[in-house]
Amino acid sequence: MAGPGLEFEYEIADLEEKIASLERTTDRNGEIESAIRSLRLARVTKLKETYSSLDSWQTVQVARHKNRPYTRDYLNLAFDEFVELHGDRHYGDDRAMLSGFAKLDRFKVMVIGHQKGRTYKERAACHFGCAHPEGYRKAMLRMKLAEKYKLPVICFIDTPGAYPGIGAEERGQAQVIAESMFLMSRLKTPIICVVIGEGGSGGALGIGVGDRIAVMQHAYYSVISPEGCAGILWKSHEHAPKAAAALRFTSDHLKRLGIVDDVLEEPLGGAHRDHHQMATRMKTYLSNQLAQLDAQPIDKLVEERYEKFRRMGVFLEGGEVQ
């Protein structure tokens, strides 16, 4: 269940509470069963109506939902095995960045992904999904290992941005993100990147260069967070909804602008309502893409990856705004 928290879901939450209350009734009769069916139908109708017309700011709220499946959830539900690898051999381990060997159907892969943590204690340890330089150095080590053993790389992106602290800057945050992007652009093994929640700024781009770029239906992928954009342009985070609309970073915009290759449809009401169904869809998508990429010559794959990113951002001056 989604749980409380989203302002625009109050009516849905009210219907769910009524359904739960009636289902707790010990001696049900035909009238109660009929009422439950009517409420369930009303709930589905309301979910379809609400989630088919989310605006950009509401999409951000869904992408940040505390019950949304994270990288570790997909590793547990969609993959058959996972062996985690720690450390960057330089400074330390970063719990905001997961990495390790995994198995997906017949494919042995290397998985790299942001991890936010479910409880407050976990979130604090993971810096709320904001990786330090050691996180990206760890990711690069795993990518080189994957290339050595000819393993495809799967990257799960879910971060508001790279960690903005003084220590991270002192240890070369911007430099290491640039190095990671450069490495991924030339890595001689298939790479699939999926934005599963927030795709914010350089923190997302650091593991976002691949042969296939996908975004989940209610995720976002942006050069900056809405709050950061509002703070720069309007000097106040109160204008975050306005910034979200202007940034055009939802799945519909990203597909239309050619930033992503695929949009993964989420279960009715968002992935936070059904982890298992979303994991099944994720597994199917990844398996199909791995089969396609595995059949291509690696030199052609690297060349097409380079050309894909060179094509992004092309525009006609004075042309129609998309």
Side-chain angles (χ1 to χ4, degrees):
M1 296 296 290
L6 299 182
E7 203 174 297
F8 57 89
E9 281 196 329
Y10 285 163
E11 291 183 43
I12 297 168
D14 184 51
L15 288 170
E16 290 175 341
E17 180 56 37
K18 288 178 180 177
I19 293 169
S21 178
L22 288 175
E23 287 179 337
R24 286 194 294 267
T25 305
T26 53
D27 51 341
R28 294 189 196 177
N29 53 34
E31 187 178 340
I32 291 176
E33 292 292 345
S34 178
I36 290 174
R37 285 195 296 272
S38 297
L39 287 169
R40 284 176 176 168
L41 180 60
R43 172 184 174 273
V44 170
T45 302
K46 191 64 183 175
L47 279 170
K48 287 181 179 177
E49 178 188 318
T50 301
Y51 277 82
S52 63
S53 58
L54 293 179
D55 62 30
S56 297
W57 181 240
Q58 289 170 335
T59 298
V60 172
Q61 291 176 278
V62 176
R64 293 173 175 171
H65 198 287
K66 64 186 180 68
N67 290 339
R68 194 170 178 83
Y70 297 142
T71 297
R72 198 173 288 281
D73 296 313
Y74 288 112
L75 288 169
N76 292 333
L77 296 173
F79 292 79
D80 303 313
E81 298 174 26
F82 177 63
V83 179
E84 187 171 359
L85 301 174
H86 298 272
D88 70 339
R89 299 185 194 168
H90 180 75
Y91 182 84
D93 191 35
D94 187 348
R95 293 183 62 183
M97 188 75 76
L98 286 177
S99 68
F101 297 110
K103 189 175 181 184
L104 184 76
D105 288 338
R106 65 184 177 89
F107 297 101
K108 294 177 182 178
V109 299
M110 179 68 74
V111 176
I112 299 166
H114 297 103
Q115 177 66 16
K116 289 181 174 178
R118 189 68 63 191
T119 65
Y120 180 79
K121 185 176 180 181
E122 290 174 351
R123 284 173 173 259
C126 295
H127 311 290
F128 297 85
C130 299
H132 285 68
E134 48 270 26
Y136 293 100
R137 290 194 182 98
K138 176 166 74 169
M140 285 192 285
L141 275 175
R142 307 305 170 245
M143 291 174 197
K144 291 174 183 176
L145 191 63
E147 182 182 50
K148 178 179 179 180
Y149 292 106
K150 297 180 172 54
L151 301 176
V153 175
I154 296 174
C155 295
F156 290 119
I157 298 167
D158 188 13
T159 178
Y163 194 79
I166 293 175
E169 295 296 336
E170 288 175 341
R171 297 196 296 277
Q173 186 74 284
Q175 177 70 23
V176 76
I177 288 174
E179 289 173 0
S180 182
M181 293 171 65
F182 179 69
L183 172 67
M184 294 183 82
S185 70
R186 305 174 66 188
L187 201 70
K188 292 188 175 182
T189 193
I191 306 173
I192 301 174
C193 304
V194 185
V195 183
I196 59 174
E198 296 186 86
S201 193
L205 286 175
I207 57 169
V209 179
D211 304 295
R212 296 289 186 274
I213 311 295
V215 62
M216 285 172 55
Q217 183 182 3
H218 302 309
Y220 77 90
Y221 196 19
S222 173
V223 69
I224 192 171
S225 69
E227 292 87 349
C229 178
I232 292 171
L233 295 182
W234 294 286
K235 312 303 179 188
S236 172
H237 290 179
E238 293 178 2
H239 295 279
K242 188 196 301 185
L247 284 165
R248 291 182 170 83
F249 54 30
T250 64
S251 58
D252 289 341
H253 291 124
L254 295 167
K255 180 67 173 176
R256 191 163 66 244
L257 295 169
I259 304 301
V260 301
D261 301 299
D262 302 292
V263 176
L264 305 187
E265 185 180 354
E266 297 188 24
L268 181 61
H272 55 280
R273 293 182 180 276
D274 195 334
H275 288 199
H276 288 272
Q277 187 179 353
M278 190 64 241
T280 300
R281 294 182 184 184
M282 181 70 73
K283 184 173 185 176
T284 301
Y285 173 77
L286 293 174
S287 296
N288 291 339
Q289 295 303 315
L290 286 171
Q292 292 178 27
L293 295 171
D294 189 53
Q296 296 189 39
I298 194 62
D299 289 337
K300 180 183 177 184
L301 209 62
V302 173
E303 180 63 27
E304 288 181 352
R305 186 189 308 157
Y306 174 80
E307 292 299 331
K308 170 205 287 288
F309 281 85
R310 289 290 293 170
R311 288 193 299 269
M312 292 182 188
V314 174
F315 67 96
L316 294 175
E317 196 167 325
E320 184 181 348
V321 178
Q322 299 192 52

